[in-house]
Amino acid sequence: MMIRRRNRNALFKKSGLILFVVLLLWLIIRSVPALFRADAPTEAAAVAEEFYKYEQTGDFGSSWELFHPLMKERFPKSAYVQNRAHIFMQHFGVQTFELEMEPPEREFDVEIIQGVKPFPEAYEIKVTQTYSGTFGKFDLVQICYLVQDGKQWTLLWYYPDDRKHNTETSS
């Protein structure tokens, strides 16, 4: 009788140790991808900064290239370049703008464009562009999101209540 009790205690100790080791391994394996994605906020912010640096210099074609495919679909390149230059440079009379970006905030299951499947992971960045032009000094505050499209970080603007959009200008 005494031998069975010892065997049972030893079995419990071994199974407890095995369970502990398995749990520890599971936690380590689950944490490893996060270690490799530690640069994700920095990479996302760098793409946003690059996008708006192109916009500052009037290189709207290069900034358009950093858009997510959904944005490229919304704004054909030629229309985007023409409209951005027309609105900001001709209408507002600005040559460039000052830029301020808040640190990126990681979000999950984000619906950036209403009616489009939520993105499993995105980085939100609040961007403030300060313009000086014909109509004085003014700020344009915009929320943008950065998501990965394949291995590339791409930029989207936030459209929380997206009614039928029209990218064509009317005369």
Side-chain angles (χ1 to χ4, degrees):
M1 204 67 160
M2 197 67 140
I3 295 174
R4 284 187 178 169
R5 183 178 254 174
R6 279 189 192 151
N7 287 342
R8 201 178 293 161
N9 284 343
L11 181 64
F12 282 133
K13 285 182 181 179
K14 285 181 182 177
S15 62
L17 180 62
I18 290 170
L19 184 61
F20 176 74
V21 169
V22 168
L23 180 64
L24 189 61
L25 286 172
W26 179 77
L27 287 172
I28 290 170
I29 290 169
R30 191 174 160 150
S31 300
V32 167
L35 295 174
F36 291 108
R37 297 205 23 95
D39 290 337
T42 305
E43 292 171 4
V47 169
E49 189 170 343
E50 182 179 6
F51 177 89
Y52 286 102
K53 293 287 183 189
Y54 285 137
E55 294 272 303
Q56 278 182 310
T57 61
D59 187 357
F60 303 116
S62 293
S63 61
W64 184 90
E65 294 295 334
L66 297 173
F67 271 147
H68 185 275
L70 289 171
M71 293 297 294
K72 290 178 178 180
E73 183 180 308
R74 178 181 287 263
F75 300 110
K77 188 174 185 175
S78 60
Y80 179 80
V81 170
Q82 182 179 6
N83 287 337
R84 294 292 279 190
H86 182 75
I87 290 168
F88 290 103
M89 294 176 164
Q90 292 175 3
H91 279 302
F92 292 142
V94 299
Q95 296 301 316
T96 189
F97 58 87
E98 294 174 33
L99 179 66
E100 184 180 315
M101 292 174 37
E102 292 185 1
E105 292 187 28
R106 186 177 184 193
E107 295 190 12
F108 299 98
D109 297 321
V110 182
E111 184 179 31
I112 298 170
I113 300 173
Q114 189 176 25
V116 173
K117 179 183 168 191
F119 290 90
E121 180 182 13
Y123 286 91
E124 177 187 302
I125 299 178
K126 183 178 177 182
V127 178
T128 304
Q129 301 164 64
T130 302
Y131 293 92
S132 293
T134 305
F135 302 106
K137 192 171 188 173
F138 59 95
D139 289 340
L140 177 67
V141 179
Q142 191 167 33
I143 302 295
C144 67
Y145 285 89
L146 288 111
V147 298
Q148 280 192 301
D149 183 43
K151 293 190 182 247
Q152 301 290 345
W153 285 99
T154 58
L155 186 134
L156 294 115
W157 286 328
Y158 182 53
Y159 291 92
D161 185 18
D162 192 23
R163 293 182 177 84
K164 194 77 173 168
H165 65 274
N166 182 3
T167 57
E168 296 177 21
T169 56
S170 56
S171 310

